[in-house]
Amino acid sequence: MPSDPARRIFTLKRILIGAALAIPLALLGYLYSARAGQPPMDEATFLRQSAEFFDQQTRDNLPKQVDKVTTLNSVKLSLDDRTLYYRYSISSVSSTQLDAAGKAKLQDGLRAGLVAATCQQQELLERFRRYRIRVSHQYTGNDGKLLAKVDIDPQTLRCRG
């Protein structure tokens, strides 16, 4: 990592945005995979089965190295607040290495990439809206403390174009 804080933030944002866009789509694919010839699931069944699916994926397939500094540790669908939580850790920086402005820049860059990626997945976005599922990406540093958090609410998300 570069020692200059501005360069460190730029480099970290570039790495993390790439990681955010490389989220394992097999996990997300479950939420909008077509069930050929079958009627749509009722909401309660869909949410329960989705939560079970993500719990199983986390047990069987995570943590997973997303890029050279980012690890996806868990994916959990909370039925209480209907939020799909992605929890990442970043091995190359601690929370004390970035000041509030650096964390805000990092979060803004991540938000832009995650919103763009979400907007490109129209079927997924429609499924999120239908079942009122929000998404939260949480990134911690190598000290386990929060670096950035990006929440996306598909109900209020406005995609361009």
Side-chain angles (χ1 to χ4, degrees):
M1 259 340 220
S3 59
D4 172 36
R7 282 194 59 196
R8 183 177 330 144
I9 292 166
F10 174 76
T11 302
L12 189 59
K13 274 192 339 188
R14 189 168 41 94
I15 290 169
L16 294 180
I17 289 171
L21 299 178
I23 294 168
L25 291 179
L27 294 178
L28 290 177
Y30 174 79
L31 287 174
Y32 66 95
S33 61
R35 298 180 328 136
Q38 296 182 359
M41 269 187 237
D42 67 88
E43 186 171 292
T45 301
F46 174 80
L47 292 171
R48 182 180 42 74
Q49 287 184 0
S50 295
E52 291 169 2
F53 173 81
F54 289 117
D55 287 346
Q56 186 68 44
Q57 290 298 310
T58 294
R59 280 192 303 276
D60 293 348
N61 301 313
L62 299 179
K64 183 174 184 75
Q65 197 72 32
V66 178
D67 62 26
K68 64 183 180 178
V69 299
T70 310
T71 302
L72 176 60
N73 295 308
S74 68
V75 181
K76 179 171 182 58
L77 177 60
S78 168
L79 298 179
D80 294 333
D81 63 3
R82 291 179 184 240
T83 301
L84 183 59
Y85 290 97
Y86 286 87
R87 299 201 196 299
Y88 305 87
S89 58
I90 310 303
S91 63
S92 62
V93 67
S94 73
S95 64
T96 59
Q97 290 177 287
L98 297 177
D99 61 11
K103 289 177 184 175
K105 285 181 183 179
L106 174 63
Q107 188 164 297
D108 289 346
L110 286 168
R111 180 178 308 284
L114 290 164
V115 164
T118 302
C119 285
Q120 290 174 359
Q121 301 291 324
Q122 286 299 310
E123 290 180 58
L124 174 63
L125 187 55
E126 176 54 36
R127 188 63 57 106
F128 283 158
R129 287 177 174 152
R130 180 180 317 139
Y131 294 108
R132 299 180 313 278
I133 297 171
R134 293 182 305 271
V135 182
S136 181
H137 298 269
Q138 299 174 6
Y139 296 83
T140 58
N142 58 18
D143 56 359
K145 295 183 180 173
L146 189 66
L147 289 174
K149 180 180 173 188
V150 176
D151 293 329
I152 299 174
D153 183 352
Q155 300 302 324
T156 58
L157 183 63
R158 301 292 174 247
C159 297
R160 297 178 192 195

